[in-house]
Amino acid sequence: MTSAASDNSRNRADALPKSWNPSEVEAEMYERWVAAGYFIADAESDKPGYSIVLPPPNVTGSLHMGHALDHTLMDTLSRRKRMQGYEVLWLPGMDHAGIATQNIVEKQLAVDGKTKEDFGRELFIEKVWDWKRESGGAIQWQMRALGDGVDWSRDRFTMDEGLSRAVQTIFKRLYDAGLIYRAERLVNWSPELRTAISDIEVKHEDVEGELVSLRYGSLDDNEPHVIVATTRVETMLGDTAVAVHPDDPRYQALIGTTLYHPITGRQIPIIADDYVDPEFGSGAVKITPAHDPNDFEMGLRHNLPMPTIMDERGRISDTGTEFDGIDRFEARVKVRERLAAEGRIAAEKRPYLHSVGHSERSGEAIEPRLSMQWWVKVESLAKAAGDAVRNGDTVIHPPSQEPRWFDWVDNMHDWTISRQLWWGHRIPIWYGPEGEVVCVGPDEVAPEGWVQDPDVLDTWFSSGLWPFSTMGWPNSTEELQKFYPTSVLVTGYDILFFWVARMMMFGTFVADDPVLTAGKNGATQVPFKDVFLHGLIRDQFGKKMSKSRGNGIDPLEWIRDYGADALRFTLARGAQPGGDLSVGQAHALASRSFVTKLFNATKFALMNGAHTGALPARGDLTDADRWIIDRLEEVRAEVDSAFDGYEFGKACEALYHFAWDELCDWYLELAKVQFAAEGSRAEATALVLGNVLDAVLRLLHPVIPFVTESLWQALTDGESVVVAAWPQATGVPADAVSAQRISDAQRLITEIRRFRSDQGLADKQKVAAKLIGLDAAGLTEQHASVANLARLTGPGDGFAVTASVEVRLSGATVTVELDTSGAVDLDVERRRFEKDLAAAEKELAATTVKLGNEAFLAKAPEAVVDKIKDRRDVAETEVARISARLAELSGK
């Protein structure tokens, strides 16, 4: 039976390809997993539930490195929990991306000279649905290429009927609770898109502007006047005050008076406000409440008029001046020219670098604009979201991100939720003929003849419901009972405030809903128990990836060039809680090499008969066997602890170094000697190697699923590692004696190899040698392994000692005597060592001179001095070592 198992292993090794070529394997393997139903969650299962909802990518989007990182980490968690015996639901879906999607379809219409108004609202929306069905969701097949183990049978879309019902339900509940209201407030306005946009869709960039100093009031220096500076001179058409600091002595006499507005002719007041910085510029600022956030707040404090001077397209309007109808940027030039002609430019315009918000979607500069919008009153909602973390109902990983969370939710402003679009969830507010207003719920009908509000909801409103709307809320479903609250939310810290906060606000708001409290998980106050925040991906130089820098990486290209496993391992290995990660081609190549190493090592093991099964008794194992088994157990515990703490990088590092450094570089080499022994020793080695590889492949599977599946099936002949059990603790105490012996053997082999290199011996060249003191060092059992790995042979006839080295080990010193006669070209070696000696002497001289310089020592930091001392000590050692070797070569 034993021989048959080994023979079977060799046959499966032959069935593996000659080398690992991911492009030939991954796609078919993934579809096999999907067809087998491995990723489908059973809500009726008796297993404990574990759930993650995928942060919904935009229907317009494609897989970028941020997605790839998110998805890799979520898939890693899901696959591991599935192997640990949990019923896992990783629920996928997409966001309808109101602005981005409508923008795409409008641009397609524009090619034919059409606008959405040419079709009307209903027909235009149909065209958007057509685009979604034909071209939307390209990211889904990209997710398959990455290996995402999501439950495709539960795929959701924010505009689906069920999710739309959830949106309408919570809107009405918030409205009825007095938490949704309509008001005229300042918003981020996109003139190109003609809608308000959210803060997350505004990207601030430093731009070169012009600082213009203009004069209000009299042109006579002896009459009241004030000079203010601005980069947006066109907004002076909407100025309703000039503000100064109440304690600024220059303006005390002017506070409470009025000044002549040079273009509109109005008299505008001079007000005093602590917000004004008297040290900046002239100490006076123009106030345009309808087009600047700070001015708006000041306008509220001082009850100032707030005229809007731009229409929805960013054109000057309703000012009664010759500038009406002109684009805002053209008006900036023309207003300045008129002021200059009237002598009101007090100083030459000068360049001024300042931060300007730009629309992420259209690229244009956004316009702060007073607008009538729908708002969510967030005070109580934000407090509940903050308290959930304070009370420990939701735990943020890493804890260092908690202060940012509290800073945000404790200082949150009301949220504008209306968008001037047609694609999206239409606001369920209806207006009657006499100005009546009613909010219509999902099972209600608006009165006949009433008109619905034309705006739609911000996409963050519907995605804020994602953890429970995707599971069927507001209806009672098996999914909600089994999988809600979700186990963990994985996302980047950059959207902590926008998406995470909204989900927490909505989740805590509906926490008492019987639909959510009736589940197997009991009452809950939160939508997820853990929030894991990873950092941003940067290039290999630590710079943020962006289109403008041209340093972005397409993850699909990496999948094509290196394989999905290499991409995933690169990302997971660099992921630490809250920390950014830098990636470049070198990282991908290193990950591909690791995958290749794992493939080659497993194939070699199979060719030598490695297989799984019951291990022999500990007493029948060698030191090497016990050492590798014990090290595996230590690594397993380390990996479990790291994954439990969302320390993906730590888990990957532990597995990488164990698999490469210890299993492949040491145990496999030691195993070759044991395989050569044949009989029971070879069989025991085959079992140890097979069982260790089995566990390593299962531990690595969540991160690199494709190669581990191929190798695990070949090794075990099992169904799939996807549904294999996660390695468990053995409960067997580690053998410290065996570990020390192997450590000593490794040190001895390493020192012999180093000595051989110093002697100029080729790596594969065998040299006659005597090993003296192995018995005293407790390494009798390791004699064959040391000789084999150090490329040594027995002394034989005519053995003459030409070189020797002593290696101090834990229990004794081993002396290695070598006969290198005829193995070394003495002249070549002498020249090599003379060159090395010259370099070492130069380094010694340079560091000695520097350390003898009193002026340098007095000024240099202690750390710098210590570093130079270390360099000097190393140089001294090298000079002594090389000089001794040259003396040996010269026969002195």
Side-chain angles (χ1 to χ4, degrees), residues 771-829:
L771 297 172
I772 303 170
L774 280 185
D775 292 348
L779 298 182
T780 305
E781 182 184 295
Q782 310 303 326
H783 185 282
S785 295
V786 172
N788 186 65
L789 271 64
R791 298 289 190 269
L792 305 177
T793 63
D797 295 337
F799 178 80
V801 178
T802 60
S804 66
V805 60
E806 291 185 349
V807 182
R808 187 182 300 277
L809 302 177
S810 62
T813 297
V814 173
T815 301
V816 184
E817 297 179 338
L818 300 97
D819 181 357
T820 62
S821 56
V824 179
D825 186 325
L826 296 181
D827 288 336
V828 172
E829 281 304 290

Side-chain angles (χ1 to χ4, degrees), residues 29-300:
M29 184 179 291
Y30 181 84
E31 295 306 326
R32 191 163 63 246
W33 289 335
V34 173
Y38 293 147
F39 307 139
I40 296 177
D42 181 3
E44 297 182 355
S45 167
D46 291 332
K47 299 177 182 177
Y50 183 88
S51 58
I52 301 177
V53 290
L54 178 78
N58 287 349
V59 66
T60 61
S62 60
L63 194 72
H64 57 61
M65 271 298 190
H67 288 132
L69 173 60
D70 264 352
H71 293 209
T72 294
L73 302 185
M74 284 183 279
D75 197 34
T76 296
L77 293 172
S78 299
R79 287 177 182 269
R80 175 173 175 258
K81 286 297 182 179
R82 187 179 292 111
M83 296 173 74
Q84 287 182 311
Y86 288 80
E87 192 64 40
V88 175
L89 170 60
W90 184 17
L91 198 150
M94 289 188 299
D95 191 283
H96 64 278
I99 292 176
T101 307
Q102 179 163 320
N103 198 28
I104 286 175
V105 178
E106 285 198 75
K107 286 182 176 179
Q108 290 180 346
L109 297 179
V111 173
D112 298 324
K114 300 288 187 181
T115 67
K116 68 180 189 296
E117 286 79 11
D118 292 326
F119 294 89
R121 185 167 192 142
E122 291 187 9
L123 186 55
F124 174 77
I125 291 174
E126 279 301 316
K127 287 188 172 295
V128 180
W129 276 110
D130 290 341
W131 177 88
K132 188 264 181 183
R133 285 187 285 266
E134 295 172 9
S135 305
I139 198 171
Q140 290 187 332
W141 71 261
Q142 297 167 349
M143 290 167 57
R144 301 172 99 90
L146 186 62
D148 285 3
V150 297
D151 185 347
W152 291 111
S153 70
R154 289 180 168 87
D155 190 24
R156 299 291 184 261
F157 181 55
T158 48
M159 290 286 286
D160 285 347
E161 182 179 349
L163 274 70
S164 296
R165 179 181 178 85
V167 168
Q168 197 172 357
T169 298
I170 201 162
F171 186 100
K172 182 169 176 59
R173 291 189 186 182
L174 289 166
Y175 181 85
D176 290 346
L179 297 178
I180 286 183
Y181 64 96
R182 193 170 186 237
E184 191 175 41
R185 298 280 180 83
L186 209 66
V187 298
N188 301 313
W189 186 265
S190 169
E192 183 172 324
L193 301 173
R194 286 175 285 161
T195 181
I197 60 177
S198 69
D199 289 340
I200 198 174
E201 291 158 332
V202 176
K203 302 300 180 185
H204 289 271
E205 302 171 6
D206 286 338
V207 299
E208 283 282 357
E210 296 175 350
L211 194 63
V212 178
S213 295
L214 58 99
R215 181 173 181 142
Y216 280 81
S218 176
L219 290 172
D220 184 343
D221 289 346
N222 297 316
E223 297 294 327
H225 66 277
V226 170
I227 294 173
V228 299
T230 179
T231 58
R232 304 179 67 218
V233 68
E234 74 282 1
T235 62
M236 63 92 65
L237 297 170
D239 285 354
T240 57
V242 171
V244 298
H245 193 276
D247 299 328
D248 193 330
R250 294 171 292 179
Y251 302 111
Q252 289 294 309
L254 292 178
I255 295 173
T257 66
T258 62
L259 291 175
Y260 170 75
H261 189 290
I263 291 182
T264 66
R266 297 191 305 267
Q267 290 290 321
I268 62 175
I270 297 180
I271 61 174
D273 197 288
D274 290 335
Y275 171 77
V276 180
D277 180 3
E279 301 299 323
F280 181 77
S282 66
V285 294
K286 56 188 286 298
I287 306 302
T288 318
H291 293 277
D292 182 272
N294 296 318
D295 292 3
F296 175 74
E297 295 297 329
M298 206 177 299
L300 291 177

Side-chain angles (χ1 to χ4, degrees), residues 421-563:
L421 303 170
W422 286 357
W423 172 247
H425 296 102
R426 195 164 177 180
I427 290 177
I429 294 290
W430 293 73
Y431 304 103
E434 302 300 325
E436 305 97 325
V437 178
V438 65
C439 180
V440 176
D443 297 317
E444 301 170 348
V445 178
E448 187 175 350
W450 286 37
V451 178
Q452 187 172 2
D453 193 291
D455 289 350
V456 301
L457 287 164
D458 177 14
T459 54
W460 294 98
F461 191 94
S462 52
S463 62
L465 310 177
W466 194 248
F468 47 91
S469 65
T470 51
M471 296 189 196
W473 186 89
N475 297 331
S476 177
T477 65
E478 292 178 339
E479 284 81 2
L480 284 170
Q481 293 182 26
K482 179 73 174 180
F483 298 110
Y484 190 82
T486 61
S487 304
V488 61
L489 175 75
V490 177
T491 190
Y493 65 68
D494 54 327
I495 61 170
L496 171 65
F497 316 131
F498 299 101
W499 187 46
V500 181
R502 282 151 176 73
M503 288 188 289
M504 286 287 281
M505 289 193 300
F506 286 161
T508 53
F509 177 71
V510 299
D512 295 332
D513 190 324
V515 167
L516 300 179
T517 60
K520 297 175 183 177
N521 292 321
T524 179
Q525 300 296 316
V526 292
F528 24 74
K529 298 171 184 175
D530 284 351
V531 175
F532 170 67
L533 300 169
H534 59 73
L536 305 180
I537 298 184
R538 300 181 180 274
D539 67 14
Q540 66 267 38
F541 305 109
K543 296 186 180 297
K544 186 176 180 180
M545 292 184 181
S546 68
K547 292 181 180 178
S548 60
R549 287 195 180 98
N551 63 343
I553 299 172
D554 183 351
L556 295 174
E557 289 185 6
W558 272 21
I559 291 175
R560 181 194 65 211
D561 296 341
Y562 311 114

Side-chain angles (χ1 to χ4, degrees), residues 661-831:
D661 301 341
E662 297 178 285
L663 177 57
C664 295
D665 284 358
W666 281 109
Y667 183 73
L668 274 182
E669 295 302 314
L670 296 170
K672 290 178 182 178
V673 178
Q674 298 181 181
F675 278 131
E678 299 184 346
S680 60
R681 173 67 68 228
E683 170 58 18
T685 303
L687 279 167
V688 170
L689 183 54
N691 279 280
V692 170
L693 276 171
D694 169 29
V696 168
L697 292 172
R698 283 184 281 153
L699 289 169
L700 280 167
H701 173 73
V703 183
I704 49 174
F706 293 105
V707 70
T708 52
E709 171 77 319
S710 181
L711 295 175
W712 188 84
Q713 288 181 330
L715 177 68
T716 68
D717 205 21
E719 177 188 347
S720 172
V721 70
V722 176
V723 290
W726 185 256
Q728 300 296 310
T730 62
V732 178
D735 187 334
V737 174
S738 290
Q740 185 60 62
R741 287 173 182 162
I742 294 300
S743 178
D744 282 343
Q746 289 173 330
R747 175 172 171 75
L748 178 59
I749 293 165
T750 300
E751 289 302 317
I752 296 173
R753 287 172 172 173
R754 182 176 298 142
F755 185 74
R756 284 173 54 104
S757 177
D758 285 347
Q759 299 294 316
L761 296 169
D763 289 343
K764 294 184 178 180
Q765 186 174 8
K766 293 201 172 185
V767 179
K770 288 182 180 178
L771 297 172
I772 303 170
L774 280 185
D775 292 348
L779 298 182
T780 305
E781 182 184 295
Q782 310 303 326
H783 185 282
S785 295
V786 172
N788 186 65
L789 271 64
R791 298 289 190 269
L792 305 177
T793 63
D797 295 337
F799 178 80
V801 178
T802 60
S804 66
V805 60
E806 291 185 349
V807 182
R808 187 182 300 277
L809 302 177
S810 62
T813 297
V814 173
T815 301
V816 184
E817 297 179 338
L818 300 97
D819 181 357
T820 62
S821 56
V824 179
D825 186 325
L826 296 181
D827 288 336
V828 172
E829 281 304 290
R830 191 178 294 109
R831 288 194 296 271

Side-chain angles (χ1 to χ4, degrees), residues 232-433:
R232 304 179 67 218
V233 68
E234 74 282 1
T235 62
M236 63 92 65
L237 297 170
D239 285 354
T240 57
V242 171
V244 298
H245 193 276
D247 299 328
D248 193 330
R250 294 171 292 179
Y251 302 111
Q252 289 294 309
L254 292 178
I255 295 173
T257 66
T258 62
L259 291 175
Y260 170 75
H261 189 290
I263 291 182
T264 66
R266 297 191 305 267
Q267 290 290 321
I268 62 175
I270 297 180
I271 61 174
D273 197 288
D274 290 335
Y275 171 77
V276 180
D277 180 3
E279 301 299 323
F280 181 77
S282 66
V285 294
K286 56 188 286 298
I287 306 302
T288 318
H291 293 277
D292 182 272
N294 296 318
D295 292 3
F296 175 74
E297 295 297 329
M298 206 177 299
L300 291 177
R301 289 196 294 272
H302 296 274
N303 197 29
L304 297 175
M306 299 186 181
T308 299
I309 62 162
M310 294 182 200
D311 65 14
E312 61 180 15
R313 296 180 184 273
R315 298 173 301 198
I316 304 299
S317 65
D318 299 325
T319 66
T321 69
E322 71 267 29
F323 306 108
D324 282 354
I326 297 176
D327 177 78
R328 53 182 172 154
F329 297 116
E330 183 183 357
R332 181 172 300 173
V333 176
K334 291 187 177 298
V335 169
R336 187 184 68 234
E337 289 175 347
R338 172 170 165 179
L339 292 171
E342 296 180 2
R344 291 189 174 274
I345 300 298
E348 288 295 324
K349 64 182 182 181
R350 57 187 176 89
Y352 184 73
L353 187 68
H354 61 132
S355 180
V356 176
H358 289 73
S359 168
E360 185 182 44
R361 302 299 176 192
S362 60
E364 65 180 328
I366 62 103
E367 183 63 42
R369 182 171 182 262
L370 195 61
S371 178
M372 183 66 75
Q373 301 286 345
W374 285 96
W375 303 81
V376 172
K377 189 180 297 183
V378 301
E379 183 178 3
S380 61
L381 299 173
K383 182 180 184 303
D387 289 346
V389 175
R390 289 187 179 93
N391 299 337
D393 296 325
T394 292
V395 179
I396 292 178
H397 304 266
S400 60
Q401 292 290 339
E402 281 190 6
R404 299 182 69 200
W405 170 257
F406 294 130
D407 183 61
W408 176 258
V409 297
D410 293 345
N411 298 284
M412 192 181 295
H413 299 295
D414 284 1
W415 168 25
T416 175
I417 56 173
S418 47
R419 299 290 179 265
Q420 289 63 57
L421 303 170
W422 286 357
W423 172 247
H425 296 102
R426 195 164 177 180
I427 290 177
I429 294 290
W430 293 73
Y431 304 103

